[in-house]
């Protein structure tokens, strides 16, 4: 997804690696257990792995949303600061023009 930062892509990659590791670990454990229970347990493991993956995706999505909110907030603050500075500069310019006008008028 092009919206993600390198940090977010790295975090997602790490989550996927962890998920793959957990899946392999569970598969390894399954091989050690009875063949009779394999089908039911495989379904349970698959369900658990799907749940873990969905949760990992949800966390990444929430982190992406929070990151976007933080960026928007930072942009708003920056614009507000720029507008405030422009207003202050305009006020200083106006006051200087008034001072010059008063000085000319008094001489």
């Amino acid at each position: 997804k092009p919206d993600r930062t390198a940090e977010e892509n790295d975090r997602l990659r790490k989550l996927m690696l962890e998920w793959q590791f957990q899946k392999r670990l569970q598969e390894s454990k399954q091989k050690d257990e009875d063949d009779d229970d394999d089908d039911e347990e495989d379904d349970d493991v698959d369900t658990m792995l799907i749940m873990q993956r969905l949760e990992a995706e949800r966390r990444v999505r929430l982190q992406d949303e929070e990151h976007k909110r933080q960026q928007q907030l930072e942009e708003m603050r920056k614009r507000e600061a720029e507008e405030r500075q422009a207003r202050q500069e305009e006020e200083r310019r106006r006051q200087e023009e008034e001072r010059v006008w008063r000085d000319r008028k008094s001489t």
Side-chain angles (χ1 to χ4, degrees):
K1 193 174 179 183
D3 296 337
R4 291 193 191 114
T5 64
E7 178 183 318
E8 291 165 339
N9 282 329
D10 189 50
R11 195 165 49 243
L12 183 58
R13 183 186 61 77
K14 288 177 183 176
L15 287 169
M16 290 300 294
L17 287 173
E18 176 64 22
W19 177 77
Q20 291 169 352
F21 173 78
Q22 291 294 332
K23 184 176 178 181
R24 282 191 221 105
L25 180 63
Q26 290 297 328
E27 289 170 352
S28 174
K29 288 179 181 178
Q30 290 300 318
K31 289 176 186 175
D32 295 339
E33 296 179 359
D34 257 346
D35 286 341
D36 294 339
D37 296 332
D38 276 352
D39 289 339
E40 185 179 321
E41 290 175 3
D42 281 347
D43 289 343
D44 290 345
V45 170
D46 288 344
T47 300
M48 181 185 67
L49 291 173
I50 290 169
M51 296 293 286
Q52 287 176 344
R53 181 174 183 183
L54 290 172
E55 178 62 22
E57 289 172 353
R58 184 186 70 82
R59 281 195 307 268
V60 168
R61 190 173 53 254
L62 289 173
Q63 288 171 344
D64 287 348
E65 291 170 2
E66 179 61 23
H67 179 72
K68 286 178 186 176
R69 277 194 295 273
Q70 290 296 329
Q71 282 180 323
Q72 290 171 342
L73 182 60
E74 185 61 33
E75 289 169 7
M76 274 180 30
R77 288 178 177 160
K78 183 178 177 182
R79 274 195 307 274
E80 288 172 354
E82 289 169 351
E83 290 169 0
R84 189 170 41 254
Q85 183 179 3
R87 283 192 307 271
Q88 289 171 345
E89 289 172 6
E90 178 63 25
E91 180 63 20
R92 280 192 290 272
R93 187 190 59 75
R94 187 188 61 73
Q95 289 173 353
E96 179 63 20
E97 285 175 358
E98 283 180 11
R99 187 188 62 77
V100 168
W101 183 78
R102 278 192 313 263
D103 289 349
R104 284 186 190 158
K105 192 176 180 181
S106 65
T107 57

